[in-house]
Amino acid sequence: WEQRKLGDITKIIDPHPSHRAPPEVIDGIPFVGIGDVDAMGNINRESARKVSEDIYEEHHKRYDLCIPSLGIGRVASLGKVIRLRDNIGKYAVSPTLSIIQIQDKVNVNYLYSCIESPVFQKQFSMQSNGSTRQSVGIQDLRELIVSLPKMLGEQEKIGQYFESLDKLITLHQRKLDHLKQLKKGLLQQMFV
């Protein structure tokens, strides 16, 4: 195993450097923030604000989601990690997130689990600043330390294990949510 700076093993991108939200449109593409995407990379298209498709073209000059990528909340939802996917249609990423693009010798699922770990999250939170709206800067993010096996195969096995666990948790959460809705419906029927 070795300890490396996140910025040395990944490419960390500010998706929207102007930090000015583009105007909202009625019929456009999602401009996703951390709350609009679940851990597996699925977009809640109802909650995401819509922006012009031109924003997609502008953004994808800076980042390519065909490269395995993660998003990390660096404003407000500090440290929340999501998978960014390229197989779900066009979308652009809000500047409240940083895009972490994976390079050779690093497994995306391993890195996802590593960033979610309490050790990394503690480092991350120690970098936050701001009195009313906490944030972590891009440069600070690049300096954070991750521990990883030198062998990519070992990273892949660990990453697969935790990805399977995440999927199992998501499946059970959906079942639980369904049962809660069912219970709520039954209670409403009983006490009407």
Side-chain angles (χ1 to χ4, degrees), residues 128-135:
S128 69
N129 56 54
S131 58
T132 57
R133 192 171 184 191
Q134 293 290 303
S135 66

Side-chain angles (χ1 to χ4, degrees), residues 151-189:
M151 302 298 293
L152 187 57
E154 189 175 353
Q155 289 180 41
E156 288 170 356
K157 287 178 182 175
I158 294 168
Q160 285 172 349
Y161 174 79
F162 283 114
E163 181 184 29
S164 296
L165 195 56
D166 287 341
K167 286 179 179 177
L168 184 62
I169 290 167
T170 300
L171 176 68
H172 285 288
Q173 185 62 51
R174 285 185 188 144
K175 286 181 182 178
L176 180 62
D177 292 344
H178 176 73
L179 290 172
K180 284 180 180 178
Q181 288 297 327
L182 186 62
K183 176 186 172 189
K184 185 178 178 181
L186 288 172
L187 288 171
Q188 285 176 343
Q189 288 176 1

Side-chain angles (χ1 to χ4, degrees), residues 28-30 36 43-50 88-91:
I29 63 164
D36 302 317
I43 296 173
N44 180 339
R45 296 185 181 272
E46 281 88 50
S47 71
R49 75 191 298 256
K50 307 286 187 287
I88 55 174
K90 292 181 177 181
Y91 66 97

Side-chain angles (χ1 to χ4, degrees), residues 5-191:
K5 290 181 181 178
L6 188 60
D8 290 344
I9 60 170
T10 65
K11 183 177 179 184
I12 300 174
I13 301 163
D14 187 348
H16 199 77
S18 74
H19 292 201
R20 289 197 174 107
E24 190 168 3
V25 298
I26 293 172
D27 210 15
I29 63 164
F31 189 68
V32 300
I34 196 79
D36 302 317
V37 182
D38 69 16
M40 300 312 291
N42 301 306
I43 296 173
N44 180 339
R45 296 185 181 272
E46 281 88 50
S47 71
R49 75 191 298 256
K50 307 286 187 287
V51 297
S52 165
E53 201 164 317
D54 296 345
I55 302 300
Y56 176 84
E57 303 303 328
E58 176 194 327
H59 272 229
H60 287 81
K61 291 175 185 173
R62 287 188 291 282
Y63 59 87
D64 178 4
L65 294 177
C66 289
I67 298 168
S69 302
L70 301 173
I72 187 167
R74 60 184 194 92
V75 177
S77 295
L78 292 179
K80 182 176 177 186
V81 187
I82 57 172
R83 291 173 172 89
L84 297 173
R85 297 174 32 203
D86 71 329
N87 61 348
I88 55 174
K90 292 181 177 181
Y91 66 97
V93 178
S94 162
T96 60
L97 295 171
S98 287
I99 296 173
I100 301 171
Q101 292 204 308
I102 309 304
Q103 298 180 354
D104 295 339
K105 311 263 188 214
V106 179
N107 177 270
V108 66
N109 291 320
Y110 174 82
L111 190 60
Y112 177 88
S113 297
C114 186
I115 290 173
E116 276 199 317
S117 75
V119 171
F120 186 89
Q121 288 293 316
K122 183 177 179 184
Q123 281 185 83
F124 189 85
S125 66
M126 289 174 57
Q127 295 299 319
S128 69
N129 56 54
S131 58
T132 57
R133 192 171 184 191
Q134 293 290 303
S135 66
V136 173
I138 293 279
Q139 277 308 114
D140 293 329
L141 185 57
R142 290 181 178 131
E143 296 296 315
L144 299 179
I145 302 296
V146 294
S147 295
L148 66 160
K150 291 181 183 181
M151 302 298 293
L152 187 57
E154 189 175 353
Q155 289 180 41
E156 288 170 356
K157 287 178 182 175
I158 294 168
Q160 285 172 349
Y161 174 79
F162 283 114
E163 181 184 29
S164 296
L165 195 56
D166 287 341
K167 286 179 179 177
L168 184 62
I169 290 167
T170 300
L171 176 68
H172 285 288
Q173 185 62 51
R174 285 185 188 144
K175 286 181 182 178
L176 180 62
D177 292 344
H178 176 73
L179 290 172
K180 284 180 180 178
Q181 288 297 327
L182 186 62
K183 176 186 172 189
K184 185 178 178 181
L186 288 172
L187 288 171
Q188 285 176 343
Q189 288 176 1
M190 287 174 54
F191 297 107

